Amino acid sequence: MTRFRYVIGDVQGCAEPLQALLAQCDFDPIQDQLWLAGDLINRGPGNAAVLRYLRSLGERATCVLGNHDFFFLAVVAGAVEQGADDTLQDLLDAPDCEELVDWLRHLPLFHVEDSFAMVHAGLLPQWSIAQAQSLAHEVEVALQSCDWQAFLRGLWGSKPKNWSDDLQGPDRLRIIVNTLCRLRFLRLDGSIDLKPKGRPEETPTHVPWYEAADARWRSHTILHGHWSALGFRETGQVIALDSGCVWGGALTAWRLEDGQVFQQACACAESSGKRD
């Protein structure tokens, strides 16, 4: 029987703060469960250590993929190249790189349990929880297929901007991934805008995805990361968990059973100041 479930925001390769936070939570891998809201790697110094630890937890860890995790897989697939701010070389050089890639490819993009749903970035207001699960599964099938490299080579881009149930092929899969792994803001006409990254109060011409009117996903409490400018924030049924560990902020854990918050200061600050 599970004692506690802890959900943690973007680790981004900060292995030491992760272990310090788990010690602060008194996390017990026998009795407790650990949920990770994506961006497990990149920008921090301990990517391989983070993945090895989470993989070692087996069914006691539930992780969803974030945009940085997808980026690493795309690097492996030859779809993109590392930039100056990326810190993925320890993974690419790791003797167990192939095994870690395979483990990442088999992670979900969306997790639902009881009245909670966990996603890295966000959801579109048109999507119910059940539809979001189904759409995430479409991407998971492609990512776990024998042709996963080709899928990733056709994934990159920011279009289409509007969801339609009639979308097919790469456009359909791309907007699903962009929503679940990159979304922050919607324009006032409901279209997706992936460029703004600041706080909502600094972007009055846009609507945070979680404030969209008549959203069909409001049957559940949504747990997400990705938006470090928000910091830890509880907004009604939405819990934002990216408190900017890799930017010199903190790594945050939220306990599902009682809402208790745990935070660990981080020293592995990324120096460029370029958040994504």
Side-chain angles (χ1 to χ4, degrees):
M1 178 177 292
T2 297
R3 183 182 64 161
F4 294 122
R5 292 168 293 178
Y6 297 92
V7 57
I8 294 178
D10 303 34
V11 177
Q12 295 196 237
C14 294
E16 292 184 6
L18 174 61
Q19 292 300 327
L21 179 61
L22 295 179
Q24 184 188 152
C25 295
D26 193 27
F27 173 72
D28 182 343
I30 303 300
Q31 300 184 78
D32 300 331
Q33 289 186 342
L34 193 60
W35 293 14
L36 281 295
D39 276 5
L40 310 176
I41 54 174
N42 203 13
R43 303 304 171 82
N47 301 294
V50 168
L51 294 191
R52 288 174 186 140
Y53 174 70
L54 296 175
R55 185 182 177 215
S56 75
L57 292 177
E59 294 183 354
R60 307 309 293 179
T62 298
C63 310
V64 296
L65 290 170
N67 55 298
H68 280 288
D69 310 315
F70 261 101
F71 181 80
F72 168 65
L73 293 174
V75 170
V76 174
V80 295
E81 295 183 358
Q82 284 197 78
D85 299 320
D86 298 308
T87 63
L88 297 169
Q89 203 60 45
D90 69 317
L91 273 175
L92 296 169
D93 294 338
D96 55 347
C97 179
E98 185 174 343
E99 290 83 357
L100 295 174
V101 166
D102 188 65
W103 180 76
L104 270 177
R105 285 200 303 114
H106 287 79
L107 293 181
L109 280 74
F110 193 56
H111 176 70
V112 181
E113 187 173 309
D114 300 332
S115 61
F116 298 101
M118 179 172 65
V119 66
H120 177 60
L123 297 168
L124 293 178
Q126 302 98 312
W127 295 354
S128 67
I129 293 296
Q131 184 178 10
Q133 280 185 289
S134 178
L135 296 173
H137 182 65
E138 292 182 28
V139 176
E140 292 157 12
V141 169
L143 192 58
Q144 295 167 22
S145 73
C146 295
D147 296 328
W148 66 273
Q149 295 99 328
F151 157 64
L152 288 174
R153 287 194 289 270
L155 180 68
W156 243 241
S158 299
K159 295 181 179 180
K161 302 289 188 181
N162 292 281
W163 171 254
S164 168
D165 290 337
D166 295 330
L167 285 170
Q168 296 181 4
D171 281 351
R172 181 180 179 90
L173 296 179
R174 190 181 306 112
I175 194 172
I176 295 169
V177 172
N178 283 344
T179 298
L180 298 176
C181 298
R182 298 178 64 194
L183 183 65
R184 294 184 182 93
F185 286 104
L186 299 171
R187 293 188 178 93
L188 297 182
D189 64 3
S191 61
I192 293 170
D193 189 347
L194 298 174
K195 291 182 180 179
K197 299 177 180 179
R199 293 179 296 174
E201 46 270 33
E202 298 170 342
T203 317
T205 58
H206 291 64
V207 178
W209 67 267
Y210 54 80
E211 291 184 0
D214 302 320
R216 298 182 63 205
W217 48 258
R218 293 191 186 279
S219 57
H220 288 62
T221 295
I222 310 299
L223 311 161
H224 76 95
H226 184 59
W227 203 339
S228 60
L230 285 180
F232 172 73
R233 189 180 296 203
E234 298 182 74
T235 308
Q237 288 178 271
V238 180
I239 312 297
L241 290 154
D242 181 3
S243 45
C245 179
V246 79
W247 311 108
L251 191 61
T252 297
W254 190 79
R255 193 158 66 193
L256 272 67
E257 281 65 31
D258 58 8
Q260 185 168 345
V261 178
F262 304 83
Q263 291 192 312
Q264 175 64 43
C266 296
C268 57
E270 210 283 340
S271 60
S272 74
K274 178 186 174 183
R275 301 190 181 210
D276 56 5

